[in-house]
Amino acid sequence: MEICGLVTEKNKPVPLKSISVELLVQDHVATVSSTLQYVNEEERPLEALFVFPLPADAAVCHFSAKIGEQEIVAEVQDRETARDRYDDAVSSGQQAFLLEESAESPDVFRLSVGCLSAGQNAAVTIIYVTELAVQDNHSLRFCLPAVLNPRYTPAGSAAGIVSEISSGAVPYTLTLSVHVSSPKPISKLESNCTLNPLVFLHSDHTQATVNLSPGHMFDKDVELFVYYQDTHQPSAVVEAGVTTAPPGSLMRDTVVMISLYPEFPEEVMSSLASRGEFVFVIDRSGSMGSMMHRGKEAQMRIESAKDTLLLLLKSLPIGCYFNIYGFGSDFESFFPQSVEYNQDTMDQALKRVKEMKADMGGTEILQPLKHIYSQPCYPDHPRQLFIFTDGEVFNTKEVLDLVKSQAHSHRCFSFGIGEGASAALITGMAREGSGHAQFITDTDRMQPKVMQSLRFALQPAVLNISVDWTLPDDVTVDTLSPPINVLFQGQRTLIYAQLKGESSGGSEGTVTVKYSLEDQPVTNQLHFCLKPTEETQLSIHRLAARTLIRSLEQEERSGAADVEGIRSRMVELSVQAGVSCVHTAFIAVNKDSRQTVKGPLLQRRVPTYDALMQADCDLLLKCSLAAYVSAPKKKFGFMTKIQNLFRRGSKKPVLCSMSAATENQTRLHLKQAEAAPELQKDLLLQLVSLQKASGCWDLDSTLADVFGKTEDELTNQKPAQVDGSVWATLLALIWLYGCKIEQQVEWQFVAMKAASWIGSQKVGDLSQCVCEGNVLLGCQVTKETLGI
């Protein structure tokens, strides 16, 4: 049996029994310590393989194993050396542990636990540090991934990222304890999972603890949201180096992490851009036919994406350009090239959107991106790319390199849909494309998050960004982060820098960020103390090392001349900082465990829970049957693509088939779904769907239905001398502000267009019209609120 194969013996207990996680949050940085408890319950020696996800920007900095009372701590070595040591140890009967990053995606790790004797226990501890992402409500988000979806692997590829398919919940438990510490008072903690009550450790609320409630099944990502007072204030963390590290090295010198929050002038933010080319790229692979979540009234992912496209198309400014792409194993676009946004092109696009299905096979995003980038840009219309996917691709780094190579010509806004979307892909595309990333998980609604990103896309591009440092004469600075090429209003920007030289404890430094915004110069400045912050446990150094390693990886992949020199520098930095990279691995060998191995090692795959495909081959194919049934001429090719999900580096697909019972059940299910009456449409989306591209509404019965009125009631209450479309548009605005104010983030641009259109019309006594509209709809909205 190949090491990379699936479990072949069913109903055998897997060796992973429990995961215990300790989370230390210090301001904007999290240190995560995970302990995995293994036990070999079989009668022969065992090798366990565990493929699992980590946050995309995590820096793994510790790996150790405890067998009985003996603990062995792993060291970082060159990857090939570490693999050789592991193979040698296992073949000679020694216990060995190998932790390595996937070559295809930096958010996937593989842990090999070698030669566990029958009945033996082993506790493996992995520690990593990561930055916490700032949300639009100014909370900080931590995610403990539970789900690693199988990456779609096209035929002929030798890619090797595949997670395991588990029938039901994973057979191990999770405990999670959280300690939060910050200079700013902690307001609250929230989670998508049940937490015990928050306990404050100090009266000033700067430290607190909380635990995950017992019984959590770890069947979805654990999300934690930390709220501080004044989260969005600029800050600096200064961390002292290690005196035993080589002089001049990153680990020896002081490192600073700067968090900046640019604030744009109000006059710039009040007039969002009306130009641009908006390209929407929608995943239409089979997995998009899955539900958004497991709760009641859950939508299919593709249906939620279609509703979101409706909102986006209605929110676009007149005079911009747009196009829509759907992709799977292949791709297609609504128009040969982006077209000007008007009533006719909007209607054409909306008709196509209604017909979209999750029927395009696998997930291959590289080719549609290449096609989009090959299209010429429109002068004075900056390109804005919106990408929606559940993030299951095998060639993440190749995609990111492509986006980065085109960063000069566009901004990329990415959306990860559902549990298990690749954080490396989603955050990476936004980072390399100077955009913004969003994750839609659990019961999140897609529309508000997408409209928040549209607001970013409509902000003017920041140009000529420069960062200047003012430091004492005996201190110099090396900036470790890549140059800043994007700034958004209220969004955090991180800068890591290495400070060389000695300074007195009370010295102060200043970092100044200058840029141009709408041809106006803007300056943001932060003063910070050079005295190191205590008890940071080298987390800032390790995040800085990870940032530098990622830049070197990008340089290596871009075809730099001195590839060997770059690789050597990466390995040296990885080993010194104790942070893994694609060319290194953590290796631990228990040399005292040598014993005679009787019989061959059994290999066991340890499953990670998969929220999309929870059973064996039958259920995986069942989930994908919609495309199989709707495209009979392509059945064989499509089935081959599904089978390829099971390949792990082998040239030959694993043969699997659908049982007759499953196929019959699934066909029946699909017929019932097609025959089922359409769910009652959301009233807000009904209203939005009726708006014209110019921003107005027609006075007709369909609009009256949204308000729960008849067309006659609307017409009879219309003030004299007021045009029907003006009256209809005014009523729509009143209804939005009076009945749907809690969803304002979703319809804000629809309302802006409507208010602008009314402002361009000749209206008599507008205040009286608003009063009449309030009476008709039972609202209390002022003219000033409507923005007219």
Side-chain angles (χ1 to χ4, degrees):
M1 182 172 94
E2 292 183 355
I3 284 182
C4 295
L6 292 169
V7 177
T8 57
E9 296 182 38
K10 295 184 178 181
N11 303 318
K12 290 285 186 179
V14 295
L16 181 60
K17 287 297 180 182
S18 66
I19 301 177
S20 174
V21 180
E22 294 181 4
L23 171 63
L24 173 61
V25 177
Q26 294 173 297
D27 204 10
H28 285 216
V29 174
T31 303
V32 186
S33 177
S34 296
T35 299
L36 296 82
Q37 188 75 44
Y38 289 89
V39 60
N40 179 11
E41 296 180 343
E42 305 194 23
E43 297 177 357
R44 289 186 287 175
L46 180 72
E47 179 179 16
L49 302 170
F50 184 45
V51 180
F52 62 101
L54 288 181
D57 294 325
V60 178
C61 55
H62 174 89
F63 176 44
S64 61
K66 189 173 184 180
I67 300 100
E69 296 300 315
Q70 184 180 19
E71 183 178 25
I72 51 175
V73 178
E75 57 186 25
V76 180
Q77 291 187 348
D78 173 83
R79 188 174 186 140
E80 294 307 317
T81 303
R83 284 176 171 176
D84 289 344
R85 281 191 61 192
Y86 176 82
D87 291 342
D88 290 345
V90 171
S91 62
S92 62
Q94 295 175 328
Q95 287 159 340
F97 303 83
L98 181 71
L99 179 69
E100 52 189 331
E101 177 185 312
S102 162
E104 292 87 14
S105 187
D107 63 343
V108 180
F109 281 75
R110 169 184 162 131
L111 174 63
S112 301
V113 179
C115 206
L116 277 182
S117 302
Q120 194 167 46
N121 291 273
V124 174
T125 299
I126 301 165
I127 300 177
Y128 64 88
V129 290
T130 187
E131 302 145 356
L132 299 182
V134 180
Q135 305 301 291
D136 289 289
N137 59 4
H138 296 308
S139 67
L140 298 176
R141 175 182 181 263
F142 169 76
C143 178
L144 182 68
V147 177
L148 175 62
N149 287 333
R151 267 53 168 167
Y152 172 75
T153 307
S157 168
I161 305 176
V162 176
S163 70
E164 298 317 308
I165 312 286
S166 160
S167 56
V170 290
Y172 45 86
T173 60
L174 169 72
T175 59
L176 172 67
S177 62
V178 183
H179 184 281
V180 183
S181 173
S182 173
K184 311 179 189 83
I186 303 158
S187 300
K188 60 180 176 178
L189 268 74
E190 293 178 347
S191 177
N192 65 331
C193 303
T194 307
L195 300 174
N196 290 338
L198 184 67
V199 177
F200 289 104
L201 303 182
H202 296 296
S203 58
D204 60 4
H205 286 199
T206 56
Q207 292 196 42
T209 61
V210 71
N211 295 317
L212 190 65
S213 296
H216 179 72
M217 294 304 295
F218 207 19
D219 57 351
K220 61 182 176 183
D221 294 351
V222 179
E223 291 182 294
L224 187 71
F225 299 92
V226 183
Y227 293 81
Y228 298 131
Q229 293 180 22
D230 299 324
T231 306
H232 60 286
Q233 293 300 312
S235 62
V237 180
V238 181
E239 185 176 80
V242 182
T243 55
T244 54
S249 68
L250 173 64
M251 300 306 291
R252 175 71 170 261
D253 291 331
T254 299
V255 169
V256 60
M257 180 180 77
I258 304 289
S259 301
L260 297 175
Y261 290 86
E263 294 294 332
F264 296 168
E266 183 60 36
E267 58 269 21
V268 173
M269 295 307 298
S270 61
S271 58
L272 295 174
S274 60
R275 301 186 307 273
E277 178 195 4
F278 298 87
V279 182
F280 306 110
V281 185
I282 311 298
D283 189 341
R284 288 177 53 186
S285 62
S287 56
M288 287 291 287
S290 301
M291 295 297 176
M292 290 291 293
H293 57 86
R294 300 185 194 86
K296 292 182 179 179
E297 301 179 2
Q299 270 187 306
M300 283 200 305
R301 294 175 182 182
I302 190 66
E303 294 301 321
S304 183
K306 287 162 65 172
D307 287 347
T308 303
L309 276 176
L310 167 66
L311 267 177
L312 282 167
L313 286 171
K314 296 289 185 175
S315 300
L316 293 180
I318 285 287
C320 73
Y321 289 79
F322 80 101
N323 204 350
I324 298 174
Y325 282 73
F327 73 93
S329 304
D330 200 355
F331 68 91
E332 62 182 26
S333 61
F334 282 17
F335 306 100
Q337 61 187 48
S338 293
V339 294
E340 187 173 351
Y341 176 75
N342 54 40
Q343 187 66 43
D344 182 51
T345 55
M346 185 189 76
D347 286 343
Q348 290 181 53
L350 286 173
K351 183 179 179 182
R352 293 281 299 272
V353 166
K354 289 180 180 179
E355 299 167 352
M356 286 173 53
K357 296 180 180 179
D359 58 359
M360 294 186 71
T363 309
E364 295 187 49
I365 197 171
L366 192 63
Q367 294 309 314
L369 286 180
K370 286 182 176 179
H371 184 269
I372 291 167
Y373 293 144
S374 72
Q375 301 289 314
C377 294
Y378 289 91
D380 299 322
H381 287 274
R383 179 172 287 168
Q384 317 281 355
L385 201 58
F386 283 65
I387 300 178
F388 300 80
T389 179
D390 31 13
E392 304 171 28
V393 300
F394 75 100
N395 52 352
T396 300
K397 292 183 179 179
E398 193 175 355
V399 171
L400 300 188
D401 290 346
L402 177 63
V403 174
K404 184 179 179 66
S405 72
Q406 300 293 322
H408 62 282
S409 64
H410 82 301
R411 291 194 286 189
C412 181
F413 298 84
S414 52
F415 305 89
I417 303 170
E419 302 286 353
S422 168
L425 180 72
I426 303 305
T427 60
M429 285 192 295
R431 180 182 64 246
E432 304 300 355
S434 305
H436 184 66
Q438 298 265 27
F439 288 88
I440 298 108
T441 59
D442 203 26
T443 56
D444 289 346
R445 293 183 71 247
M446 190 183 298
Q447 291 85 348
K449 294 199 172 188
V450 173
M451 301 314 289
Q452 287 163 354
S453 289
L454 179 60
R455 173 168 283 276
F456 288 145
L458 291 172
Q459 287 181 20
V462 173
L463 304 174
N464 306 319
I465 304 172
S466 66
V467 178
D468 299 313
W469 300 80
T470 304
L471 299 166
D473 292 339
D474 50 356
V475 178
T476 59
V477 62
D478 278 352
T479 303
L480 306 174
S481 302
I484 300 173
N485 54 18
V486 61
L487 290 171
F488 290 118
Q489 161 81 359
Q491 284 295 298
R492 181 188 64 187
T493 296
L494 291 177
I495 303 173
Y496 291 96
Q498 181 178 352
L499 303 181
K500 298 181 177 182
E502 299 294 331
S503 63
S504 55
S507 297
E508 187 179 74
T510 304
V511 60
T512 305
V513 180
K514 298 179 181 179
Y515 49 90
S516 299
L517 188 65
E518 298 283 77
D519 298 325
Q520 298 295 316
V522 182
T523 299
N524 296 144
Q525 199 168 66
L526 173 67
H527 302 278
F528 61 96
C529 178
L530 292 178
K531 182 180 179 181
T533 309
E534 296 181 358
E535 297 181 0
T536 51
Q537 300 176 345
L538 292 177
S539 57
I540 306 302
H541 276 75
R542 284 164 177 150
L543 287 171
R546 187 240 28 224
T547 299
L548 193 52
I549 286 170
R550 293 285 183 252
S551 296
L552 290 169
E553 286 181 354
Q554 174 72 44
E555 191 177 344
E556 179 190 24
R557 294 196 303 273
S558 66
D562 186 20
V563 173
E564 287 303 318
I566 293 171
R567 183 172 298 183
S568 176
R569 189 177 173 205
M570 260 192 282
V571 171
E572 180 183 19
L573 185 59
S574 175
V575 171
Q576 280 187 4
V579 173
S580 68
C581 77
V582 72
H583 295 305
T584 58
F586 281 92
I587 175 69
V589 177
N590 181 10
K591 297 180 179 179
D592 297 334
S593 64
R594 187 184 301 277
Q595 55 187 296
T596 302
V597 178
K598 297 179 180 179
L601 281 175
L602 293 177
Q603 282 132 356
R604 291 283 176 267
R605 301 289 297 177
V606 180
T608 56
Y609 190 93
D610 191 311
L612 296 180
M613 306 168 210
Q614 298 178 19
D616 57 11
C617 177
D618 268 12
L619 187 52
L620 175 63
L621 294 172
K622 180 179 175 180
C623 290
S624 306
L625 189 63
Y628 171 76
V629 171
S630 63
K633 292 181 181 178
K634 298 182 180 179
K635 283 181 184 178
F636 178 78
F638 182 75
M639 299 302 281
T640 302
K641 290 182 173 69
I642 294 298
Q643 291 165 6
N644 282 340
L645 285 173
F646 289 90
R647 282 191 306 114
R648 285 284 298 181
S650 172
K651 298 285 184 182
K652 186 163 55 177
V654 177
L655 294 177
C656 56
S657 60
M658 176 180 286
S659 67
T662 300
E663 184 167 345
N664 290 335
Q665 282 182 349
T666 309
R667 287 181 186 275
L668 178 61
H669 171 77
L670 289 170
K671 283 183 180 179
Q672 290 171 343
E674 290 172 358
E678 187 177 357
L679 292 174
Q680 184 178 1
K681 199 71 169 150
D682 180 274
L683 285 179
L684 172 60
L685 291 177
Q686 276 195 44
L687 179 77
V688 170
S689 70
L690 298 174
Q691 189 186 33
K692 303 294 185 182
S694 61
C696 71
W697 277 265
D698 287 336
L699 188 63
D700 57 24
S701 59
T702 53
L703 180 66
D705 286 343
V706 174
F707 302 147
K709 306 287 182 182
T710 65
E711 185 178 355
D712 286 345
E713 286 178 290
L714 266 56
T715 304
N716 293 339
Q717 293 296 320
K718 181 177 75 67
Q721 309 302 317
V722 174
D723 178 77
S725 291
V726 172
W727 178 235
T729 304
L730 197 57
L731 289 176
L733 274 177
I734 292 170
W735 185 84
L736 286 172
Y737 281 98
C739 302
K740 293 294 179 180
I741 191 65
E742 74 281 356
Q743 290 176 255
Q744 185 175 5
V745 69
E746 300 181 40
W747 50 259
Q748 56 184 316
F749 298 112
V750 165
M752 285 171 62
K753 285 173 68 173
S756 177
W757 183 85
I758 290 176
S760 69
Q761 307 299 305
K762 292 181 179 180
V763 185
D765 189 347
L766 194 56
S767 296
Q768 182 60 33
C769 291
V770 173
C771 287
E772 297 284 352
N774 277 323
V775 172
L776 178 63
L777 299 179
C779 300
Q780 295 179 326
V781 179
T782 65
K783 183 182 76 170
E784 291 72 27
T785 300
L786 300 181
I788 303 171

